[in-house]
Amino acid sequence: MVLTHVQSDEAAASAAVFASRYVQEPVPSYELGEKSISKDAAYQIIHDELLLDGSPRLNLASFVTTWMEPECDRLILEGMNKNYADMDEYPVTTELQNRCVNIIARLFNAPLGTGETAVGVGTVGSSEAIMLAGLAFKRRWQNRRKAEGKPHDKPNIVTGANVQVCWEKFARYFEVELKEVKLSQGCYVMDPDKAVEMVDENTICVAAILGSTLTGEFEDVKRLNDLLAAKNKRTRWDTPIHVDAASGGFIAPFLYPELEWDFRLPLVKSINVSGHKYGLVYPGVGWVVWRNKEDLPDELIFHINYLGADQPTFTLNFSKGSSQIIAQYYQFLRLGFEGYKNVMENCMESARTLREGLQRMGRFDIISKDDGVPLVAFMFRGGTRDGSLAFKLSANLRRFGWIVPAYTMPANLEHMTVLRVVVREDFGRPLAERFLSHVRMALSELDLAAKGPVPKMRLTIELGPARSADEEASVRVVKREAVSGHRSVSLVTGKTKGVC
Amino acid sequence: MSPPTDGSDVYAAASKNQNVPSPRPAPFPSHIHLPGLRPGLDREHAATTHPSPPHRTTFPRARGRFPSPRAADLPSLSPCKPRPRPPATMVLTVAATAADTAEPLNSTFFATRYVRDQLPRYRMPENSIPKEAAYQIISDELMLDGNPRLNLASFVTTWMEPEVGKLIMDSVNKNYVDMDEYPVTTELQNRCVNMIAHLFNAPIKEEETAIGVATVGSSEAIMLAGLAFKRKWANKRKEEGKPYDKPNIVTGANVQVCWEKFARYFEVELKEVKLTEGYYVMDPLKAVEMVDENTICVAAILGSTLTGEYEDVKLLNDLLVEKNKKTGFNVPIHVDAASGGFIAPFLHPELEWDFRLPLVKSINVSGHKYGLVYPGVGWVIWRSKDDLPEELIFHINYLGTDQPTFTLNFSKGASQIIAQYYQLIRLGFEGYKHIMENCQANATALREGLEATGRFDILSKEDGVPLVAIRLKDSSKFSVFDISENLRRFGWIVPAYTMPADAEHVAVLRVVIREDFNRSLSQRLLADINRVVQELDAHAVHAIKMTTAIATQTGEGAEDGAVTKKSVLDIEKEFAEACKDLVKNKKTGPC
């Protein structure tokens, strides 16, 4: 007793979480707390607060993987404390990374002999991958211009206006001008003809997107390659192509093996792909692969010697966990070509169910294509008049738990407001059907609200005493007024960035 | 529904796209078992009379190569033995069962073919394999990685409380950039930024939000900070109508490789202050001398990677203030507190190195070092809004409020940020202080133990980051590289490396003390170092005796046909030199 009396703090620490003082005290949010708190309490406080986050599985906004097999979870937890940058200490992890690079390069038909190692690197995501690829193009262009004795201070890059925000970031941070090919109604991807027109001697590369973020459509890389090859021949420039296959890179090889978009086209010098999208790994892994060594200027590479072998590295980040790399190798090993193919086919199937279901409702125009990344982008029929409908529907669906973003299209098409549902492997038929029924319910609520406010009257009445015994109390209406009962719907508008 | 068969991922199973419950009539009543048929036959019967829906291809190769021991192939099996699967689900799963028939259902992993199949190194394998097998193969191979807990090379956290493990796994599928969808996670990040900014004495009022961002690590943090300095400098030069194409940055030669990276990738010249023997940090006097009008900032390091020493930021600040005054430049300071940022505030609160100094405009710190979180989190904090040029910030609207972002990475897991918040509220000031004191005490014990052997000079300082850097007093017989190599036999990973330019003849061994390196481990390390030193002593004597007696053929010689004879000692010397060369080139090194 004496002991527990003295260490009253300890006693508090061992009490049940909800019986402890931590439930009452404010959580430190500006300054470090003075005292420690028990680990159970810390766990519970954070865990409980996180309940208010959206459920990742119901987040239809994002391509990013939200489900993996429990076996892989175990590997991830075991690899959590391994620093990927310590190649010297964790050679096997490094080897697994190299294997993943080789597998991906061959999946993209890189011109490699048997047993030849590919040039590529694991990144935190496609943003890092794109910056690395862009940096390589920029440096290569600078070197060539320097060699020719021409100015090299005004590099530019040509992309469609439908690119992800990270291209914009790359341009701004690395001081490259971003030339965007504008979109037009009905064509929501980069037009290769227009793109090639915009190419000039300062263009470091043209970036094509395999799986546009907005509609999931594949851009016509083959045509771009042919047009650019012709232009290069005429002008003697040497403008290469980068393919941003963040979402489509793990779909096209399995579902459209005959589609030429990858290293089969001679001008495609580098490709990036997100391991955490259809690579089926939890967030934090991307890949960038170069056609061959010459496409990656040597001065950008830092060399690390590991166990006597030379390990070239080219990353923006340094220390990070190795779980995601291990998980990526797990997926390759576990699923194989066959498994990936089955998963992608299932996704397409679910997307088809969803698309047909939405079409049957007769309220939407589907703007995503049947081929491409399994997503369904739709807008209200005639929705160009009232863009806020989409935002209202999005807000309504959130009450069911679904996170479906509504956003306005990029420049030239700002009048269009689109809703987008991404189909991931864990969004199967049962969920798709449940989702459709919720859309129907949300729609009918919207219709109800659209009929305008329910008219309300406010009557002020006066009760008078009964004038005589056989009469009841008199009632007189003093005032009769109409009350406006507008339901306010708060809108989340203008989110033009950030779909990923 | 059938349970997931071990041949296919639940979501890859062909049955997924069937309606639930399946509208398809069952081929025959599910509860009736046809007694007359052999189990194998009724499967085939079902398959022929009720053609299954067009399923995806499954395992044809596996089936062909490995005759399956399923019931149909074993006529001796009693026909009334229960089948592993009820017939009702049979049609649905018939395609998928081909996978598990390739292997006996109940065989252990090491009895399957996956043990002898070659692993895919260059190409994606054709077929799927069971998840248990995939797990086992990878986890077995990873046994050959070093043990993170015994990795004394790195500051990076290798142990956390199991409660955090739960939080981490719960949020491993949350994407940190989806601020719209996960507002609480974003809020936790903002709280961490606030707490760290206060810890570093940022001049912000109570309840005012600090300017900072979570990153993947200090590398990203440093690039962001450097980018902000570069842009600010360029803007100022543009305004003054002066050229802005030759920016430079002044640092000590002891900086981590990421500064070099920043310089090379963002086209900034890196001016390094050379080190001298006995003085392994940046000399503020020399640094300020090197500052010119094109200097975007001076980077000071709190906790040098090599010796753990703090650089004298206060002196640097004072000298630079003077120089700025004299010349009219406006050169700011960045403090790279990757390792020291979570130590100095707790152990040396009176040391002025942070935002208390007016020229310190930004500070980065690694959450995954003494912030005590698993790798993948760093922080960068700016003094005020003005120090972060607006044009670098991308704005995302989230839940109606504006969330400015400034990162190089985009999608990433939210786990590490949540884990950082856990540590901050769990430990509080008191907890961090106790842990750092423990680390410091263990470092002292190790240092004293090593000093007591009489074989080593201690290069690390007592104050600073808890690490012990030592060099051999006498390295004529063997080098620290030999010690490092031999310690690996016991499982210890202790790196040896040479110092940077101008002190490169000094080779050191470095032991980083993390919170999970306790006294008993440190005593065992001491014992193992002693043992290695004694062995190397004995071996060196032995080798000298053998010098002329034995000659060996080297691989190099064999290549061009000539046979070179070399003594054991020569070979060893060569090897030691080679090791030195290797590590000399390892510019990236310790983190």
Side-chain angles (χ1 to χ4, degrees):
Chain A
M1 209 172 72
V2 176
L3 269 181
T4 54
H5 186 69
V6 173
Q7 303 184 335
S8 58
D9 251 16
E10 301 256 309
S14 63
V17 173
F18 293 110
S20 70
R21 64 190 161 87
Y22 309 120
V23 180
Q24 287 303 322
E25 282 175 8
V27 179
S29 50
Y30 290 101
E31 264 179 89
L32 204 54
E34 202 54 45
K35 295 267 180 230
S36 303
I37 64 176
S38 80
K39 49 186 185 172
D40 308 309
Y43 169 78
Q44 207 62 48
I45 289 170
I46 296 175
H47 175 266
D48 292 359
E49 201 167 358
L50 285 172
L51 291 176
L52 290 168
D53 265 350
S55 159
R57 289 286 305 277
L58 298 181
N59 179 358
L60 306 182
S62 167
F63 289 107
V64 174
T65 305
T66 52
W67 182 89
M68 285 186 86
E69 288 174 331
E71 280 71 14
C72 196
D73 286 355
R74 262 170 79 194
L75 284 175
I76 285 174
L77 197 56
E78 287 162 11
M80 199 60 98
N81 62 355
K82 259 186 211 175
N83 187 356
Y84 159 80
D86 280 352
M87 299 188 171
D88 210 0
E89 286 76 25
Y90 310 124
V92 178
T93 306
T94 309
E95 162 78 13
L96 295 189
Q97 187 229 215
N98 293 347
R99 280 187 208 163
C100 288
V101 168
N102 280 323
I103 288 173
I104 292 169
R106 282 175 172 77
L107 192 65
F108 295 165
N109 295 301
L112 297 164
T114 28
E116 198 182 336
T117 52
V119 184
V121 68
T123 61
V124 169
S126 276
S127 285
E128 189 189 354
I130 283 168
M131 291 198 190
L132 294 175
L135 197 51
F137 283 122
K138 185 182 172 195
R139 200 52 59 94
R140 241 183 114 230
W141 172 83
Q142 279 174 332
N143 288 347
R144 210 186 55 239
R145 297 282 290 181
K146 269 183 214 167
E148 292 169 358
K150 288 179 184 160
H152 52 89
D153 57 340
K154 289 208 167 24
N156 69 51
I157 190 166
V158 175
T159 68
N162 54 331
V163 286
Q164 223 260 345
V165 65
C166 64
W167 284 98
E168 222 173 297
K169 249 189 203 176
F170 163 74
R172 222 186 278 179
Y173 294 168
F174 288 89
E175 292 160 38
V176 175
E177 188 200 344
L178 187 70
K179 290 171 116 179
E180 289 188 347
V181 179
K182 295 272 177 293
L183 309 182
S184 55
Q185 186 97 35
C187 174
Y188 309 113
V189 293
M190 177 175 76
D191 179 351
D193 294 78
K194 282 193 212 159
V196 171
E197 240 168 65
M198 287 171 87
V199 168
D200 60 29
E201 56 173 357
N202 290 325
T203 304
I204 62 170
C205 81
V206 180
I209 298 170
L210 197 78
S212 163
T213 340
L214 304 174
T215 60
E217 215 174 325
F218 294 156
E219 290 180 352
D220 192 345
V221 191
K222 184 154 171 40
R223 184 167 163 75
L224 178 69
N225 176 77
D226 296 346
L227 290 172
L228 203 54
K231 179 151 184 171
N232 279 345
K233 208 170 170 190
R234 212 174 52 234
T235 57
R236 298 182 179 228
W237 300 335
D238 189 19
T239 314
I241 297 175
H242 174 89
V243 181
D244 177 358
S247 51
F250 281 114
I251 291 177
F254 303 107
L255 296 185
Y256 314 104
E258 71 299 326
L259 183 75
E260 284 184 35
W261 63 274
D262 52 16
F263 292 120
R264 277 169 288 182
L265 304 174
L267 284 183
V268 173
K269 300 297 184 192
S270 54
I271 297 176
N272 71 281
V273 62
S274 286
H276 56 225
K277 290 182 182 167
Y278 290 98
L280 309 178
V281 181
Y282 288 142
V285 62
W287 303 92
V288 54
V289 186
W290 283 272
R291 185 183 199 87
N292 53 38
K293 267 208 183 76
E294 290 81 62
D295 297 308
L296 183 56
D298 211 30
E299 70 250 43
L300 294 176
I301 301 175
F302 282 79
H303 289 269
I304 295 185
N305 281 295
Y306 98 101
L307 292 184
D310 174 63
Q311 179 68 39
T313 69
F314 180 38
T315 54
L316 292 178
N317 301 293
F318 196 70
S319 293
K320 63 176 185 187
S322 22
S323 303
Q324 272 78 4
I325 305 259
I326 295 170
Q328 180 77 74
Y329 186 67
Y330 172 91
Q331 291 290 38
F332 287 158
L333 183 66
R334 157 91 172 106
L335 294 173
F337 193 89
E338 171 195 52
Y340 269 99
K341 189 159 183 252
N342 289 346
V343 169
M344 299 317 154
E345 279 172 353
N346 276 343
C347 288
M348 289 313 265
E349 202 59 32
S350 298
R352 206 171 48 81
T353 311
L354 207 57
R355 187 168 51 239
E356 284 168 2
L358 288 168
Q359 263 165 348
R360 265 201 301 275
M361 286 177 208
R363 301 284 302 271
F364 304 110
D365 284 330
I366 310 288
I367 62 167
S368 52
K369 300 282 183 296
D370 295 359
D371 291 339
V373 179
L375 61 80
V376 183
F378 54 101
M379 55 188 279
F380 276 92
R381 195 158 283 170
T384 45
R385 284 193 309 275
D386 185 9
S388 68
L389 264 183
F391 288 104
K392 284 179 196 163
L393 181 62
S394 170
N396 272 0
L397 283 171
R398 217 178 239 269
R399 287 193 292 110
F400 295 100
W402 300 105
I403 303 175
V404 181
Y407 50 89
T408 45
M409 295 287 262
N412 268 17
L413 296 171
E414 295 103 332
H415 57 281
M416 293 170 68
T417 313
V418 178
L419 285 152
R420 191 187 73 167
V421 176
V422 169
V423 178
R424 292 188 307 265
E425 66 162 333
D426 53 341
F427 186 75
R429 178 82 177 242
L431 276 179
E433 283 177 355
R434 171 75 49 199
F435 174 75
L436 285 173
S437 78
H438 283 162
V439 171
R440 264 179 243 118
M441 283 159 78
L443 272 181
S444 61
E445 274 173 39
L446 271 186
D447 292 343
L448 216 62
K451 278 187 189 133
V454 182
K456 276 187 191 162
M457 285 290 204
R458 186 184 291 148
L459 303 176
T460 312
I461 52 174
E462 200 178 86
L463 293 173
R467 272 174 245 156
S468 62
D470 55 330
E471 221 176 76
E472 286 186 15
S474 69
V475 177
R476 191 168 64 89
V477 175
V478 180
K479 206 161 110 196
R480 193 186 289 258
E481 57 189 336
V483 182
S484 66
H486 280 298
R487 290 188 200 176
S488 65
V489 181
S490 61
L491 305 183
V492 184
T493 43
K495 185 186 170 179
T496 57
K497 307 261 186 271
V499 277
C500 51
Chain B
M1 289 290 291
S2 65
T5 56
D6 45 358
S8 59
D9 173 332
V10 191
Y11 294 116
S15 56
K16 179 196 159 206
N17 273 300
Q18 303 305 327
N19 264 325
V20 180
S22 169
R24 202 182 304 280
F28 27 71
S30 58
H31 56 279
I32 297 174
H33 182 64
L34 302 177
L37 287 170
R38 283 204 343 232
L41 278 183
D42 69 36
R43 166 179 296 179
E44 278 156 26
H45 173 77
T48 46
T49 54
H50 304 274
S52 52
H55 281 312
R56 326 288 169 231
T57 51
T58 37
F59 315 90
R61 279 176 52 196
R63 202 177 197 172
R65 272 183 301 171
F66 301 94
S68 56
R70 61 177 172 168
D73 302 327
L74 304 168
S76 60
L77 256 171
S78 156
C80 51
K81 207 148 199 189
R83 297 176 42 79
R85 231 165 281 282
T89 59
M90 202 171 63
V91 173
L92 282 181
T93 54
V94 75
T97 45
D100 54 25
T101 53
E103 293 297 333
L105 273 175
N106 51 1
S107 66
T108 73
F109 165 67
F110 292 105
T112 61
R113 69 188 164 91
Y114 307 114
V115 178
R116 58 196 143 96
D117 275 4
Q118 208 184 352
L119 282 178
R121 276 159 208 276
Y122 295 108
R123 244 171 223 295
M124 198 180 273
E126 204 59 41
N127 296 115
S128 304
I129 64 172
K131 48 189 184 171
E132 294 81 9
Y135 169 79
Q136 204 61 49
I137 290 169
I138 294 175
S139 124
D140 287 2
E141 201 170 0
L142 286 172
M143 287 190 308
L144 289 167
D145 265 347
N147 182 339
R149 291 285 304 277
L150 297 180
N151 178 1
L152 306 181
S154 167
F155 290 105
V156 174
T157 305
T158 53
W159 182 87
M160 287 184 86
E161 287 173 334
E163 279 73 12
V164 195
K166 273 197 301 190
L167 282 176
I168 286 178
M169 286 318 289
D170 284 351
S171 49
V172 75
N173 61 354
K174 258 185 209 174
N175 189 357
Y176 155 81
V177 294
D178 281 352
M179 299 185 171
D180 209 1
E181 286 77 23
Y182 310 125
V184 179
T185 305
T186 308
E187 163 77 14
L188 296 190
Q189 184 228 216
N190 294 346
R191 284 188 204 163
C192 289
V193 167
N194 283 331
M195 288 190 200
I196 294 168
H198 270 107
L199 194 65
F200 295 166
N201 295 301
I204 44 178
K205 288 177 215 85
E206 199 84 351
E207 312 257 311
E208 195 183 342
T209 53
I211 310 292
V213 67
T215 62
V216 168
S218 277
S219 286
E220 191 191 354
I222 283 169
M223 291 195 191
L224 294 177
L227 197 52
F229 283 123
K230 187 184 171 193
R231 199 51 61 92
K232 247 198 123 201
W233 169 83
N235 287 348
K236 187 168 160 255
R237 299 281 291 178
K238 265 183 223 171
E239 240 172 60
E240 295 169 353
K242 289 179 184 163
Y244 53 93
D245 57 338
K246 286 202 167 32
N248 70 52
I249 190 166
V250 175
T251 67
N254 55 331
V255 287
Q256 223 259 347
V257 66
C258 61
W259 283 98
E260 219 173 301
K261 247 187 208 177
F262 163 73
R264 222 185 276 179
Y265 295 168
F266 289 89
E267 293 164 41
V268 175
E269 190 200 344
L270 188 69
K271 290 171 118 180
E272 289 189 349
V273 180
K274 295 276 181 291
L275 309 183
T276 51
E277 186 160 356
Y279 194 75
Y280 303 112
V281 291
M282 176 176 75
D283 183 350
L285 282 171
K286 284 195 212 162
V288 172
E289 243 168 61
M290 288 169 87
V291 167
D292 59 29
E293 55 171 0
N294 288 325
T295 304
I296 62 170
C297 81
V298 180
I301 298 169
L302 196 79
S304 161
T305 340
L306 305 173
T307 60
E309 214 174 328
Y310 298 151
E311 290 178 355
D312 194 344
V313 191
K314 188 156 169 38
L315 181 62
L316 178 70
N317 177 73
D318 295 347
L319 290 172
L320 205 54
V321 164
E322 224 169 86
K323 179 148 185 171
N324 280 346
K325 213 171 169 188
K326 210 166 60 214
T327 57
F329 306 156
N330 192 14
V331 180
I333 298 175
H334 174 87
V335 182
D336 176 0
S339 50
F342 277 111
I343 294 178
F346 303 106
L347 295 185
H348 315 284
E350 71 301 326
L351 184 75
E352 283 184 36
W353 64 275
D354 52 15
F355 291 119
R356 278 169 286 182
L357 303 174
L359 283 184
V360 174
K361 299 297 184 192
S362 53
I363 297 176
N364 72 280
V365 62
S366 286
H368 57 225
K369 291 181 183 168
Y370 290 96
L372 309 177
V373 182
Y374 287 144
V377 63
W379 302 92
V380 54
I381 313 282
W382 283 272
R383 185 185 197 84
S384 67
K385 255 206 181 87
D386 311 331
D387 298 307
L388 184 56
E390 181 65 27
E391 71 247 47
L392 294 175
I393 300 175
F394 281 80
H395 288 268
I396 293 183
N397 281 300
Y398 99 101
L399 289 185
T401 64
D402 172 67
Q403 180 68 36
T405 69
F406 180 39
T407 55
L408 291 179
N409 299 295
F410 197 69
S411 293
K412 64 177 184 186
S415 305
Q416 272 77 6
I417 289 168
I418 290 165
Q420 179 76 73
Y421 184 67
Y422 173 90
Q423 291 290 38
L424 291 174
I425 72 163
R426 155 94 172 103
L427 296 173
F429 194 88
E430 168 194 68
Y432 269 101
K433 188 159 185 246
H434 288 165
I435 288 173
M436 299 314 154
E437 281 167 357
N438 282 345
C439 290
Q440 208 59 267
N442 282 331
T444 310
L446 185 64
R447 186 172 52 240
E448 282 164 1
L450 287 168
E451 258 175 338
T453 62
R455 306 291 295 264
F456 301 106
D457 284 332
I458 311 289
L459 297 181
S460 50
K461 298 283 181 295
E462 291 196 25
D463 289 340
V465 179
L467 61 81
V468 182
I470 53 175
R471 68 194 263 196
L472 270 173
K473 280 186 174 152
D474 170 23
S475 51
S476 61
K477 278 180 279 180
F478 56 88
S479 67
V480 285
F481 296 97
D482 300 320
I483 299 179
S484 167
E485 204 58 36
N486 277 295
L487 279 174
R488 240 177 218 269
R489 283 191 291 127
F490 299 97
W492 299 109
I493 303 175
V494 179
Y497 49 87
T498 50
M499 290 291 212
D502 281 359
E504 65 254 272
H505 57 286
V506 182
V508 298
L509 206 59
R510 191 188 73 165
V511 179
V512 170
I513 314 291
R514 292 188 306 264
E515 68 164 330
D516 55 335
F517 186 73
N518 58 31
R519 188 62 64 90
S520 60
L521 275 178
S522 107
Q523 272 163 359
R524 188 149 294 278
L525 174 66
L526 215 49
D528 288 340
I529 289 180
N530 274 328
R531 202 159 132 200
V532 164
V533 168
Q534 273 159 25
E535 274 175 15
L536 285 170
D537 272 343
H539 192 66
V541 173
H542 182 65
I544 289 166
K545 279 185 197 154
M546 303 282 275
T547 308
T548 45
I550 300 175
T552 322
Q553 185 179 321
T554 66
E556 263 170 66
E559 224 165 71
D560 48 38
V563 177
T564 329
K565 306 260 179 179
K566 281 186 181 173
S567 72
V568 171
L569 190 65
D570 284 343
I571 292 167
E572 279 182 350
K573 270 186 185 158
E574 227 168 63
F575 178 72
E577 280 307 312
C579 276
K580 267 184 218 167
D581 284 349
L582 279 183
V583 183
K584 215 180 280 169
N585 296 337
K586 186 182 170 181
K587 297 223 60 179
T588 41
C591 51

